Amino acid sequence: MMGAFYPLNLFLFTLSLVAITAHAHNITAILDGFPDYSVYNSFLSQTKLADEINSRETITCLVLSNGAMSALTAKHPLTVIKNILSLHVLLDYYDPQKLHQISKGTTLTTTLYQTTGNAPGNLGFVNITDLQGGKVAFGSAIPGSKLDSSYTKSVKQIPYNISIIEISAPIIAPGILTAPAPSHCSEVLRNIMLKTVLCEIFGHEFSGIYQVFVVS
C-alpha cells in the first residue's frame, strides 16, 4: 500500500519544487530593467552573489549607480568587490517606509557578509540611522565608523520578499578591503547533505529531479 503512494508523493514534491522555483525572486532579472545599475548587476553575476541573493526568502539590496560602482571597481580586485557587495545585502526587508520608522532612530542589521565566517565583531553588520529632515544614513556598524552613505531612492519592492534601494556611496567597513573573500564551501556542503538525505527518503530517482530544480 505504501508503495502505491510513492509515485504520488514524488510527484507532489516535484510540484512543490517547481512552485518554489517559479515564485523565487531573481535579482539580475529585476535589475535588467534598470540600466542605471548595469555595472552593479554585472558584478553580482561575476562574484556569484546573485545566486546567494536569490536563495534568500527575505532580503534587501543596497544598489549603487553605475558611476559609484565604476569608481569602486577601478580600485579593487574581484575578491574585494565581493566582500564589499556582500556588505550591501541586508538579511531583512527594508522598504522606504520602514527606513523612516526605525525604532529609536537607529539600528544594526545583519548582512550577507556576516554569514561568511570572515566577519569578526560588527564587521558584518550595517548601521542604519534615520537622521533629521527625513535623511537616512548608512555606515559600518564598527564603533567609530562614519555614516558616509545615504538613502537616495527606491528601486523595486516585492513585499516582503525583496527590496532594492539605491544608496549614494559604498559602505566600506574597516578591514573589509583586506578580509578573505566569502566562501561557497558551506553552501556546497549543505547541498550535498540535502541531496543525500532526500535520496534516502525518496530513492535514487530523486537525483535527477535534484539536479534540475536545485543545482541548476
Side-chain angles (χ1 to χ4, degrees):
M1 186 68 177
M2 292 296 292
F5 285 97
Y6 170 73
L8 177 60
N9 289 339
L10 184 58
F11 175 72
L12 292 175
F13 183 77
T14 302
L15 286 181
S16 69
L17 288 177
V18 173
I20 291 171
T21 303
H23 289 87
H25 54 256
N26 186 319
I27 182 62
T28 54
I30 293 173
L31 290 179
D32 277 343
F34 299 90
D36 289 345
Y37 312 112
S38 59
V39 178
Y40 176 92
N41 199 17
S42 173
F43 274 90
L44 287 185
S45 296
Q46 292 181 51
T47 59
K48 307 299 183 183
L49 287 175
D51 296 335
E52 298 185 50
I53 292 171
N54 293 340
S55 71
R56 300 278 175 170
E57 293 184 5
T58 302
I59 208 153
T60 299
C61 292
L62 306 178
V63 301
L64 297 165
S65 67
N66 288 340
M69 276 298 299
S70 295
L72 183 67
T73 57
K75 300 176 183 178
H76 306 292
L78 189 61
T79 53
V80 173
I81 298 301
K82 184 171 186 177
N83 288 342
I84 296 172
L85 293 186
S86 296
L87 198 65
H88 290 67
V89 180
L90 313 181
L91 304 186
D92 199 353
Y93 183 85
Y94 286 92
D95 57 14
Q97 181 179 2
K98 185 174 179 179
L99 287 177
H100 290 93
Q101 295 178 345
I102 295 174
S103 177
K104 298 182 181 179
T106 187
T107 187
L108 302 184
T109 188
T110 312
T111 71
L112 192 60
Y113 189 69
Q114 181 66 24
T115 68
T116 66
N118 299 323
N122 288 340
L123 184 59
F125 290 81
V126 162
N127 180 339
I128 306 176
T129 299
D130 188 8
L131 303 175
Q132 294 181 352
K135 182 179 179 181
V136 178
F138 296 82
S140 169
I142 293 179
S145 298
K146 296 181 179 180
L147 299 175
D148 289 332
S149 185
S150 60
Y151 167 75
T152 303
K153 62 181 178 180
S154 168
V155 178
K156 176 77 174 180
Q157 280 81 41
I158 304 177
Y160 293 89
N161 184 217
I162 183 170
S163 177
I164 305 172
I165 58 179
E166 181 188 309
I167 59 175
S168 62
I171 302 167
I172 307 295
I176 200 169
L177 300 181
T178 56
S183 171
H184 287 282
C185 292
S186 59
E187 182 179 352
V188 172
L189 180 59
R190 285 196 300 269
N191 284 340
I192 292 173
M193 293 175 65
L194 175 63
K195 181 179 179 181
T196 301
V197 171
L198 292 177
C199 282
E200 287 291 330
I201 297 173
F202 294 102
H204 293 292
E205 292 87 346
F206 176 78
S207 180
I209 298 172
Y210 178 91
Q211 293 293 333
V212 173
F213 293 107
V214 179
V215 176
S216 61

